[in-house]
Each structure stands twice: as structure tokens, then as C-alpha cells.
């Protein structure tokens, strides 16, 4: 029911890309579809998307174009579970659900669209679900056949990822000074530990303290040889939250 109110009138992909560049970021990863199954791209697989059921805008397309304009690489987040897909397994509290064959085919069709319609994609950030080894391998092969230079995160599961994904907001344990992982890795982090999306009631606290906290995290990841993927959550109109924009500039 919320889709009719999803107008994102203040969403400005170019403003977000400029902010990312100003903050020293080298790439942006956009959520193309989260667990709810609502697609922020034009797809033939379902009308449950931003182009047909809401704001009549292709958010993925706008962001891809903005990144290209600013010289940033562009990546995509994609949820392997889908609460709206009619062929999906029943919802569970852990979201590590098996992927029925028809749901797997549905995911592959959507990934094919995402990886052929929006230019070069640097990173595919998959999430949740419990695919079989065969499903992970089939997805891996498809993705790399469509995008020559892409890297897939470890949440494709079954040891098929091109880089390791740390648990949210966590660093690898260091058994001794100078220890580094011998594979590429990334820490996915959020500005606030409590949430990944926008909440009007979020306690934001001191901007100076938040900048210091996040800068320390960035240094810790970088010093250990990892990539730091820091999340922001635009508000319900699509606008940047000033506190979060200030935090990125401060870093």
C-alpha cells in the first residue's frame, strides 16, 4: 500500500554522486531490491517496481548515469530472498531460506536485466537466502558472463564469492600485529549501528563524535587491507539526511 505514496520527489542521484565523490568515495552500491521484493529498476518480471507501481522513475538507471557523470564506479545490492515473489519459500525470521527453482529462475532473470541495462557494474552485493551449491555456481557463471570486471560478494554463498563480506559493522579479528586476510574483503557498515534505512526518530547525537567514530572505523578497515562500504539512508522523500551528508564530508 505504500507504493502509491512512494514519489521520492526529492531524490537527486547526481547530488548523491557528487557527495560521494566529495567525501573521497570511489564507488556507490545501490539497493536495487531488498527483501520486500520492490524493485527500484524497470523489469519485465514484475509490476512491483518503481517504474510501474510508484514514482514512474528508474532509480537504478538514474544512479548509474550519475555515477558515470562523476567518474565513480557503480555497484548493486540484490536480495536473494523476496517476500513478494509468488514462488519464494515461506518467510522466516532468519531470512536464510532455501530458494525454490522458480524463484531462482526469477532472480536470474532480474540479475540479467540489471547487468545488461545499466553499463559497467563493479560489484554485485548479494544478501540472505540459502541457495544450493548448484544455484550459487549457476548465478556466479551468469554474472561473470554478463559483466567482465565485476566482483561478487561472499553472500552468493557456497564459497563462490570473489571477496569476503564481514558481518555488519565488524572487522576481522587480529590474532597478532600486522595480520591481514589473504583474500579481498569488505566491511559493510552503517552510519548508525541500529539501522540501515531511514528512521525519523533515529538518535543522531553529536556530529563531531560521529565523524570521529566513522573515521576510526575507516582507518581500521583500510589498515587491515579491506574496503569500507558505508551506508546512508535517504529519507522517505528521497532527500539526503543533512547529518549523514555532514558525516561523509567530515570523514
Amino acid at each position: 500500500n505504500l507504493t502509491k505514496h512512494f514519489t521520492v520527489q526529492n531524490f537527486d542521484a547526481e547530488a548523491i554522486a557528487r557527495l560521494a565523490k566529495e567525501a573521497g568515495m570511489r564507488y556507490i552500491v545501490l539497493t536495487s531490491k531488498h527483501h520486500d521484493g520492490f524493485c527500484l529498476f524497470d523489469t519485465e518480471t514484475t509490476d512491483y517496481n518503481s517504474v510501474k507501481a510508484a514514482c514512474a522513475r528508474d532509480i537504478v538507471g538514474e544512479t548509474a548515469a550519475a555515477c558515470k557523470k562523476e567518474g565513480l564506479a557503480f555497484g548493486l545490492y540484490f536480495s536473494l530472498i523476496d517476500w513478494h515473489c509468488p514462488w519464494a519459500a515461506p518467510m522466516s525470521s532468519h531470512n536464510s531460506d532455501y530458494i525454490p527453482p522458480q524463484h531462482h529462475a526469477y532472480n536470474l532473470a532480474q540479475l540479467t536485466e540489471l547487468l545488461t541495462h545499466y553499463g559497467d557494474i563493479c560489484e554485485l552485493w548479494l544478501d540472505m537466502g540459502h541457495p544450493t551449491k548448484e544455484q550459487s555456481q549457476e548465478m556466479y557463471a551468469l554474472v561473470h558472463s554478463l559483466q567482465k570486471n565485476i566482483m561478487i560478494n561472499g553472500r552468493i554463498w557456497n564459497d563462490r564469492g570473489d571477496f569476503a563480506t564481514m558481518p555488519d559493522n565488524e572487522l576481522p579479528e587480529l590474532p597478532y600485529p600486522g595480520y591481514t586476510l589473504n583474500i579481498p574483503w569488505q566491511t559493510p557498515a552503517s552510519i548508525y549501528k541500529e539501522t540501515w534505512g531511514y528512521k525519523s526518530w533515529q538518535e543522531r547525537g553529536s556530529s563531531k563524535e560521529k565523524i570521529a567514530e566513522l573515521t576510526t572505523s575507516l582507518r581500521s578497515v583500510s589498515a587491515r587491507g579491506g574496503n569500507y562500504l558505508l551506508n546512508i539512508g535517504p529519507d522517505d522523500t528521497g532527500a539526503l539526511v543533512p547529518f549523514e551528508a555532514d558525516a561523509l564530508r567530515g570523514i
Side-chain angles (χ1 to χ4, degrees), residues 2 46 49-50 55 97 109 127 131-132 137 145 159 168 203 215:
L2 288 174
T46 177
N49 65 71
S50 61
C55 58
D97 306 313
D127 201 17
T132 65
Q137 176 56 37
S145 72
D159 295 319
D168 298 347
E203 293 183 11
T215 303

Side-chain angles (χ1 to χ4, degrees), residues 9 38 42 62 65 91 100 135 158 180 187 189 222 228 232 251:
Q9 64 270 25
F38 186 72
D42 195 10
E62 291 179 27
M91 280 189 266
Q135 288 174 333
N158 295 303
T180 56
T187 286
S222 181
Y228 189 53
I232 63 171
I251 297 170

Side-chain angles (χ1 to χ4, degrees), residues 149-203:
N149 297 315
I150 200 168
M151 291 186 75
I152 307 172
N153 75 325
R155 296 187 191 178
I156 190 173
W157 310 119
N158 295 303
D159 295 319
R160 295 309 305 158
D162 296 310
F163 64 94
T165 305
M166 294 296 111
D168 298 347
N169 290 298
E170 289 190 16
L171 297 173
E173 294 295 330
L174 301 183
Y176 57 89
Y179 170 81
T180 56
L181 292 175
N182 65 353
I183 55 173
W185 62 275
Q186 180 191 75
T187 286
S190 54
I191 284 188
Y192 325 102
K193 297 292 194 295
E194 305 85 2
T195 183
W196 290 85
Y198 171 74
K199 289 183 173 65
S200 61
W201 60 89
Q202 176 68 43
E203 293 183 11

Side-chain angles (χ1 to χ4, degrees), residues 43-71:
T43 174
E44 296 301 319
T45 62
T46 177
D47 288 343
Y48 194 55
N49 65 71
S50 61
V51 177
K52 298 183 177 73
C55 58
R57 293 171 64 178
D58 186 331
I59 303 301
V60 171
E62 291 179 27
T63 309
C67 286
K68 185 175 182 179
K69 181 178 179 180
E70 294 298 328

Side-chain angles (χ1 to χ4, degrees), residues 60-100:
V60 171
E62 291 179 27
T63 309
C67 286
K68 185 175 182 179
K69 181 178 179 180
E70 294 298 328
L72 296 169
F74 180 57
L76 292 167
Y77 169 108
F78 183 87
S79 173
L80 291 176
I81 59 167
D82 187 321
W83 300 334
H84 190 264
C85 177
W87 306 292
M91 280 189 266
S92 66
S93 59
H94 53 70
N95 289 325
S96 295
D97 306 313
Y98 71 95
I99 313 293

